[in-house]
Amino acid sequence: MSLLEERRPAAKPTAMPLVAPQIPAYAPWLAAVLAGGIAALAGLLLGWSLVAVVLVAWALLVVGLPAWSAAIEGERRAKDRLVTTIAWSTFALAMIPLASLAWEVVENGHAIISSEFLTYDMRGVLGAGGGIYHALMGTLIITALATAISVPIGVMAAIYLVEYGKGNRLARTITFLVDVMTGIPSIVAGLFAFALFTMIFGPGVRFGIGGAVALSVLMIPIVVRATEEMLKLVPEELREASYALGVPKWRTIVKVVLPTALGGIVTGVTLAIARVAGETAPLLIIVGTTTTLNLNPFDGRMATLPVFIFSSVTTGGKYDAEQTARAWGAALVLVAIVMTLNLLARAVGKVFAPKTGR
Amino acid sequence: MSTTTTAPSAPTAVSRRGDSVFAGLATGAGLLIMLALAGVAIFLIIEGIPAISASGEQAYGKDNIVVYVWPLLFGTLLAAVIALLIATPLAVGVALVISHYAPRRVARPIGYLIDLLAAVPSVVYGLWGRAVLAPAILPVYAWLADHLGWLPFFDGPARTGRTILTAAIVLAVMALPIITAICREVFLQTPRIHEEAALALGATRWEMIRMTVFPYARSGVISAVMLGLGRALGETMAVAMVLSASGLVTINLISAENPSTIAANIALNFGNASGTKVNVLIFSGLVLFVVSFAVNFLGRWIAARGQVKA
Amino acid sequence: MATSIDISDLNIYYGDFLAVEGVGMTIRARSVTAFIGPSGCGKSTFLRSLNRMHEVIPGARVEGKVVVDGQSLYDPSVDPVAVRRQIGMVFQRPNPFPTMSIYENVLAGNRLNSKRMKKAEADDIVERSLRGANLWTEVKDRLGKPGMGLSGGQQQRLCIARAIAVEPQVLLMDEPCSALDPISTAAIEDLIHELKSDYTIVIVTHNMQQAARVSDDTGFFNLKAAGEPGHLVEFNATSKVFSNPDDPSTEAYISGRFG
């Protein structure tokens, strides 16, 4: 510090003062190590817990680094460093639960994954053993059905909004309602499907297609949104080029606009599938669960991975440990499916990304 | 005129029919969405109305539907608000790190990771909250009850980790990636020229962010928080799995006696419900629908107003 | 195969706003007709009304007559889609379809109208159109590559090939060179000269030298003031317009004293 102060007058006093005293670039790291070291030492001497040591180390850093900076660099830079430290702290804090979640799912889930776990259902199983084949198939069937319902409706509605409606009253109403639908709590979608099918088939109805309808209520707005955004990105020039060739509007949409937007639409749909594949609440209400394989979505309860996880954990009783182990295994499988879909969506988005430039 | 061309009107009928069929399909899809949403509201109302006269045994031993739903609504709001109080500062910080602090090389993978975490199913968060977080946080609650017990929130006694505060923390962890993603987008949209103008005036990075990024992003952040709130209000599974609920109204956050939430209450009781009890649960779902609709609407309204101004 | 166009008393509106007022002219077959004038004078709008492209924009409508080959374009029985098959258009910015190869781009007009054709026939159309657009030798070895991979000038010639592949009567060009460098511009101008023997060509340009170089007839559009509708000031042989125009405002514009 004294060195820096001596150097300043040495600079030519006539020139603009471009040199200001600075703490070295490695200062934040040094401060972090020092704070950690002091806290650890104190912790060892006074017998603190790990949590306490970390908290003290953090407090030392947040106070110490800006203080050091204030002494040398002045108040404004010190404030800047304080905020930087806090921003990175929030980041670290936010990462703790998220990292823990990822770690626990893998750690607790991987042990039980076996060919038996993936190919057997739970018929007659009480303690150990059994598998999630029935739930896996249920999730695949119901999600596939929901996709089959949502994608045509969602894509066509988006086409209406972008290509036909163009801000007329109906289009504005639909846009608003899609906004509302995006915010429907998933359990309310389940109640809707339940109420709907209760009115048709009488009370106590439970079947897979009902779940697909409920999931569609959640999925359609996502598909509409994604498709709408992508269609809007298609340059008006391409439509005009097609019209100028004497191509009718609907063929222009099908052959020019949709292919150009395809990558984004597929990405959006895949993300929507990933989102609803993990939905639990609506399925709990309208599909229920069962221990045996049921491949017919029009008849009777079906098991699904999310509901399987939920009921395994909440049933309790004598075999709680085995049930929880299976729940972790199912959670790992479910997370793997959802993550694969997400990565796939990104890959698709990259592959189909509009080729611009030359 | 060198050649006499026949009037090319032959394909007219064909292309016109194709056009009207296609336009009809597109319009039909749009109308179907209107119908579906109307259906949601109508069916919930039809099935919910019988609950209004429910009492006693039919209303789970409560005098009337209001007395039944109120504690649930209280719990729903309490959990969601605490979750947002925890998640918002963290999300803003993380978004700021991604958009302005971290080097590009690091920021991109972090953003990627956050997006992936937004996709983790809620039931998995619930499982984690119940099996990992609840036991781990019990000592903290015990400490809080011992040292801060004079605050009504931390009255205790801390006998279980499965409290409303734990549920709120899980909700915060779930809402964090969503709010972060929106905030990041909004922060990144700050016009470069504004930022450079601030830097050219000799502002430090924090001063630049306070002068340009925050004013520009304010409405976007607020609407992100509202959307996160809407999500937290409607979240079912995480709460249903984490919370050990007894359905009373209290602001004691760490005791074994916790308020429940509407969504979790439906999930836990629907399987065994019959008769008017089903209607009672559906009615509570209707209340949830209205509340989350209001919150979402408010969020979008704020976002739209901000856009007009910008 | 080329045809003339008779326009009389044409008014073009965007909603309630009158954009172009009272235009009348005869565009000769197998010739190049150029429209010049300051920005916003309605020459592009007028061009787009010649193949009913302007009505793609919501609220746009037309009063008056455009007669092509004895038929009025705005007769209720006329299908705009059919009109556009006969009167092709090339746009300001090259706009090849990004999802299609060079080959598919040329055939787009035929394929999108679901015309079935044999491979040999299709190959023939592609080669003929690309030769017609002076692009064949440059791209014949990479017909399967994306059309977006070409340079700007090549893309514009690809768009011309695409337009002539459907064998239209008339080719409308809306500032086809304004996004191109001088060398590409020269290539397009040469091409316009060659296409003249087969097609009626109408071109809008901001570049008066270009109008003088390529066109046989020239129309000068102007507006009285901002917010007023554009109108046709003068329509004459290009040589006359550029040497001895009838209207003083045309001379002022051409000699650069205005606009």
Side-chain angles (χ1 to χ4, degrees):
Chain A
M1 192 168 142
S2 60
L3 195 98
L4 285 163
E5 271 172 355
E6 276 164 19
R7 198 186 286 162
R8 208 148 63 139
K12 289 249 152 72
T14 51
M16 293 187 295
L18 292 180
V19 182
Q22 282 184 357
I23 59 175
Y26 55 81
W29 303 107
L30 183 64
V33 169
L34 282 178
I38 294 169
L41 199 64
L44 276 180
L45 291 176
L46 301 173
W48 291 342
S49 68
L50 182 66
V51 179
V53 169
V54 172
L55 279 176
V56 169
W58 180 77
L60 280 175
L61 179 64
V62 165
V63 175
L65 182 64
W68 184 7
S69 168
I72 296 179
E73 298 176 318
E75 195 192 332
R76 287 175 58 207
R77 292 294 298 271
K79 207 181 216 175
D80 187 45
R81 287 192 188 274
L82 174 67
V83 176
T84 306
T85 313
I86 289 175
W88 280 102
S89 305
T90 62
F91 176 72
L93 184 58
M95 281 300 128
I96 293 172
L98 299 175
S100 157
L101 176 87
W103 167 254
E104 296 287 346
V105 169
V106 175
E107 170 67 14
N108 294 322
H110 80 276
I112 200 173
I113 305 281
S114 65
S115 58
E116 185 198 346
F117 188 65
L118 295 175
T119 52
Y120 276 66
D121 64 15
M122 292 294 295
R123 184 201 299 254
V125 177
L126 286 172
I132 56 165
Y133 181 64
H134 59 314
L136 195 58
M137 292 314 287
T139 286
L140 292 182
I141 290 172
I142 292 178
T143 310
L145 279 173
T147 309
I149 298 172
S150 308
V151 170
I153 296 177
V155 170
M156 287 309 279
I159 287 176
Y160 174 78
L161 292 178
V162 176
E163 306 288 337
Y164 290 98
K166 287 224 170 113
N168 67 21
R169 175 174 286 199
L170 178 61
R172 284 204 308 273
T173 315
I174 293 174
T175 306
F176 172 74
L177 292 181
V178 168
D179 275 354
V180 174
M181 275 176 96
T182 329
I184 291 184
S186 60
I187 195 144
V188 173
L191 291 177
F192 157 68
F194 180 83
L196 174 70
F197 288 110
T198 300
M199 308 229 342
I200 301 175
F201 297 109
V205 62
R206 297 278 192 286
F207 52 17
I209 188 74
V213 168
L215 292 185
S216 298
V217 172
L218 301 171
M219 195 171 169
I220 286 174
I222 311 179
V223 175
V224 173
R225 265 292 136 80
T227 310
E228 201 185 347
E229 291 305 314
M230 289 305 131
L231 292 180
K232 278 182 187 162
L233 286 181
V234 175
E236 200 57 32
E237 300 162 6
L238 292 183
R239 296 187 182 90
E240 296 202 337
S242 178
Y243 295 148
L245 291 169
V247 179
K249 184 166 186 167
W250 75 277
R251 275 189 169 278
T252 302
I253 294 170
V254 174
K255 296 278 177 90
V256 175
V257 178
L258 281 182
T260 308
L262 188 66
I265 296 175
V266 172
T267 302
V269 167
T270 315
L271 289 176
I273 295 174
R275 165 86 200 283
V276 300
E279 274 300 345
T280 317
L283 303 181
L284 189 64
I285 286 184
I286 181 70
V287 185
T289 188
T290 169
T291 55
T292 54
L293 181 67
N294 172 14
L295 295 177
N296 183 358
F298 297 96
D299 182 34
R301 294 161 183 264
M302 286 173 95
T304 51
L305 281 176
V307 179
F308 177 83
I309 297 170
F310 175 71
S311 56
S312 295
V313 176
T314 50
T315 311
K318 193 171 151 197
Y319 300 107
D320 198 36
E322 286 86 355
Q323 287 162 1
T324 306
R326 277 194 295 267
W328 281 111
L332 180 57
V333 172
L334 182 60
V335 169
I337 292 175
V338 170
M339 291 298 145
T340 310
L341 283 171
N342 266 278
L343 295 175
L344 203 69
R346 273 159 210 284
V348 167
K350 278 229 175 81
V351 169
F352 282 96
K355 295 155 195 100
T356 51
R358 35 205 76 136
Chain B
M1 236 164 285
S2 53
T3 23
T4 46
T5 38
T6 48
S9 52
T12 304
V14 179
S15 59
R16 282 273 162 79
R17 197 192 310 146
D19 263 340
S20 50
V21 167
F22 194 76
L25 280 176
T27 317
L31 290 173
L32 195 63
I33 287 181
M34 294 179 70
L35 213 67
L37 196 70
V40 171
I42 291 168
F43 286 119
L44 288 183
I45 290 171
I46 292 176
E47 291 286 314
I49 281 176
I52 292 175
S53 57
S55 65
E57 169 58 17
Q58 293 163 326
Y60 291 92
K62 296 285 160 57
D63 289 343
N64 61 49
I65 189 69
V66 177
V67 179
Y68 178 71
V69 172
W70 158 242
L72 296 174
L73 184 60
F74 171 81
T76 307
L77 294 173
L78 182 66
V81 167
I82 297 174
L84 266 290
L85 285 178
I86 300 171
T88 306
L90 291 181
V92 170
V94 174
L96 217 56
V97 164
I98 296 175
S99 67
H100 285 83
Y101 281 93
R104 176 88 60 90
R105 207 156 22 89
V106 185
R108 193 173 283 219
I110 296 175
Y112 218 80
L113 200 68
I114 298 277
D115 285 351
L116 280 183
L117 286 166
V120 172
S122 60
V123 70
V124 177
Y125 281 106
L127 181 59
W128 174 79
R130 183 187 179 108
V132 179
L133 180 63
I137 207 165
L138 186 55
V140 178
Y141 290 163
W143 187 88
L144 284 173
D146 285 348
H147 296 86
L148 296 173
W150 47 274
L151 283 169
F153 312 114
F154 303 129
D155 197 14
R159 279 199 307 264
T160 172
R162 294 171 53 194
T163 67
I164 190 92
L165 185 56
T166 309
I169 294 174
V170 174
L171 288 179
V173 174
M174 294 177 65
L176 183 74
I178 299 165
I179 304 177
T180 302
I182 304 177
C183 286
R184 180 189 61 193
E185 290 305 312
V186 181
F187 289 162
L188 284 175
Q189 276 168 13
T190 311
R192 254 218 111 72
I193 47 167
H194 292 185
E195 297 181 10
E196 287 174 354
L199 289 176
L201 289 172
T204 61
R205 185 158 51 178
W206 163 241
E207 287 162 346
M208 180 270 283
I209 289 171
R210 217 185 47 196
M211 282 164 66
T212 64
V213 177
F214 281 168
Y216 184 82
R218 195 188 299 129
S219 68
V221 172
I222 292 174
S223 84
V225 171
M226 296 306 269
L227 291 183
L229 186 61
R231 187 62 73 80
L233 285 172
E235 176 47 43
T236 314
M237 301 323 293
V239 181
M241 291 169 80
V242 169
L243 196 59
S244 155
S246 47
L248 41 75
V249 175
T250 173
I251 52 167
N252 184 353
L253 302 179
I254 57 171
S255 78
E257 312 258 291
N258 291 288
S260 186
T261 72
I262 293 178
N265 182 60
I266 297 172
L268 291 172
N269 291 318
F270 205 83
N272 303 323
S274 60
T276 319
K277 284 181 175 175
V278 174
N279 302 111
V280 168
L281 291 177
I282 289 180
F283 182 87
S284 70
L286 192 60
V287 173
L288 177 63
F289 179 45
V290 171
V291 170
S292 62
F293 169 77
V295 167
N296 276 301
F297 186 75
L298 203 64
R300 287 186 198 286
W301 183 70
I302 292 171
R305 210 184 48 162
Q307 264 171 11
V308 171
K309 224 169 43 186
Chain C
M1 51 164 212
T3 188
S4 63
I5 308 172
D6 290 298
I7 300 116
S8 50
D9 293 328
L10 198 72
N11 294 333
I12 307 173
Y13 295 85
Y14 289 114
D16 293 329
F17 175 68
L18 178 59
V20 179
E21 185 177 29
V23 176
M25 67 171 75
T26 298
I27 294 169
R28 286 187 290 139
R30 290 169 191 262
S31 72
V32 179
T33 304
F35 297 151
I36 57 172
S39 298
C41 68
K43 50 194 192 307
S44 287
T45 302
F46 175 64
L47 188 79
R48 289 165 68 94
S49 74
L50 296 183
N51 69 342
R52 296 188 64 168
M53 275 300 288
H54 75 289
E55 59 197 67
V56 171
I57 298 163
R61 65 197 165 80
V62 159
E63 287 168 1
K65 266 202 158 161
V66 178
V67 178
V68 180
D69 203 18
Q71 297 181 79
S72 171
L73 284 192
Y74 287 93
D75 197 83
S77 66
V78 167
D79 179 6
V81 170
V83 169
R84 294 177 199 140
R85 279 177 209 168
Q86 301 299 316
I87 306 179
M89 190 159 196
V90 176
F91 295 84
Q92 190 168 353
R93 288 200 2 222
N95 53 1
F97 296 124
T99 52
M100 300 183 188
S101 67
I102 295 173
Y103 186 92
E104 289 164 338
N105 256 294
V106 176
L107 281 180
N110 299 301
R111 286 272 166 82
L112 291 177
N113 285 311
S114 70
K115 206 176 269 178
R116 293 245 163 95
M117 60 178 89
K118 294 203 183 70
K119 176 90 171 76
E121 193 188 348
D123 287 348
D124 188 48
I125 291 177
V126 170
E127 180 170 351
R128 192 150 35 92
S129 308
L130 285 172
R131 278 191 195 284
N134 279 341
L135 194 59
W136 174 250
T137 47
E138 289 162 62
V139 301
K140 64 171 189 265
D141 297 325
R142 45 171 173 157
L143 292 174
K145 295 272 161 56
M148 297 295 276
L150 298 173
S151 76
Q154 288 172 326
Q155 285 187 21
Q156 191 62 301
R157 276 180 283 153
L158 177 61
C159 292
I160 294 176
R162 182 176 67 188
I164 61 182
V166 290
E167 302 188 342
Q169 308 282 316
V170 181
L171 210 50
L172 307 177
M173 297 187 173
D174 189 357
E175 300 185 36
C177 303
S178 66
L180 304 182
D181 62 80
I183 295 174
S184 307
T185 301
I188 303 277
E189 287 181 5
D190 290 343
L191 177 58
I192 291 174
H193 265 296
E194 289 168 29
L195 292 173
K196 190 167 85 166
S197 52
D198 292 320
Y199 303 94
T200 304
I201 295 176
V202 186
I203 176 172
V204 165
T205 176
H206 267 294
N207 180 335
M208 279 175 287
Q209 283 76 32
Q210 183 172 64
R213 281 195 299 266
V214 301
S215 71
D216 302 302
D217 296 315
T218 298
F220 171 55
F221 284 77
N222 201 354
L223 19 78
K224 295 188 182 81
E228 294 281 303
H231 61 282
L232 180 65
V233 176
E234 177 166 352
F235 186 75
N236 266 319
T238 300
S239 53
K240 179 165 168 53
V241 169
F242 280 91
S243 58
N244 180 25
D246 291 337
D247 195 288
S249 70
T250 312
E251 187 170 15
Y253 183 75
I254 284 167
S255 58
R257 264 180 276 143
F258 142 81

